[in-house]
Amino acid sequence: MTRGFLGLGSNLGDKRAQIEAALTALRRDPALEVRRVAGFYRTAPLGPVNQDWFLNTVAEIATDLEPRALLKKCQAVEQALGRVRHERWGPRTIDIDLLWLESGGVDEPGLTLPHPGMQGRSFVLVPLRELAPELLLRGHPLEYWLQKADPLGLVEVP
């Protein structure tokens, strides 16, 4: 099985319940194993600021799915939980991003791995560091990227 990481976030409704529901749905899928989940972090929105704060986390997974099939499963979970795509970086009930797969990089229309924006996002890097402090991203340790990332008011939420 291939090790990977998913980013999960929500800024509509009961944010923690939305993320927990997504994790439950992912755990029910026989093609996925959710191994560990990092802590939860509150951040300001990235993009339009006229929206509520986000709750984010990262989950370590294992799967034999090809990246495109994994993306489709994540999008199906989003849709089942009421995700509607009105505007880029707009409010959402749930967002599940493929961040990284140990099987290597992907550069296809609609799917790039590692996730193209993750090195600048503290709400991804901090929980990812909890799960995989040894991970190298584009040839650099996570600490390197954290020094450059905008913290966006990042606060751990118990």
Side-chain angles (χ1 to χ4, degrees):
M1 292 187 93
T2 298
R3 179 183 184 209
F5 297 94
L6 302 176
L8 296 97
S10 175
N11 78 331
L12 290 175
D14 186 336
K15 300 164 184 71
R16 186 178 292 265
Q18 299 282 6
I19 293 171
E20 293 292 353
L23 289 166
T24 297
L26 293 167
R27 285 183 178 111
R28 286 185 183 139
D29 192 313
L32 283 170
E33 176 187 340
V34 176
R35 291 184 170 168
R36 297 183 296 156
V37 179
F40 287 80
Y41 293 86
R42 177 184 169 161
T43 60
L46 182 65
V49 293
N50 60 340
Q51 57 182 312
D52 202 2
W53 55 272
F54 274 83
L55 190 64
N56 295 285
T57 191
V58 170
E60 179 182 352
I61 62 160
T63 186
D64 286 327
L65 292 170
E66 293 297 318
R68 180 67 61 185
L70 178 58
L71 176 64
K72 286 183 180 181
K73 290 217 180 244
C74 291
Q75 289 173 336
V77 170
E78 289 177 337
Q79 187 174 10
L81 293 174
R83 168 85 189 257
V84 179
R85 297 174 189 270
H86 290 296
E87 66 178 299
R88 183 181 170 134
W89 295 343
R92 59 209 106 168
T93 54
I94 189 68
D95 185 32
I96 306 172
D97 288 331
L98 276 66
L99 300 175
W100 182 90
L101 289 174
E102 102 186 319
S103 58
V106 175
D107 191 6
E108 302 173 359
L111 178 60
T112 303
L113 291 173
H115 188 288
M118 67 186 272
Q119 73 272 3
R121 298 175 179 169
S122 59
F123 61 87
V124 171
L125 295 169
V126 170
L128 183 59
R129 179 180 61 185
E130 284 181 36
L131 301 176
E134 77 289 352
L135 192 71
L136 295 179
L137 181 58
R138 295 178 172 80
H140 296 285
L142 298 178
E143 287 299 325
Y144 170 85
W145 297 111
L146 271 166
Q147 292 172 12
K148 298 173 176 294
D150 183 342
L152 293 169
L154 184 81
V155 176
E156 188 167 11
V157 176

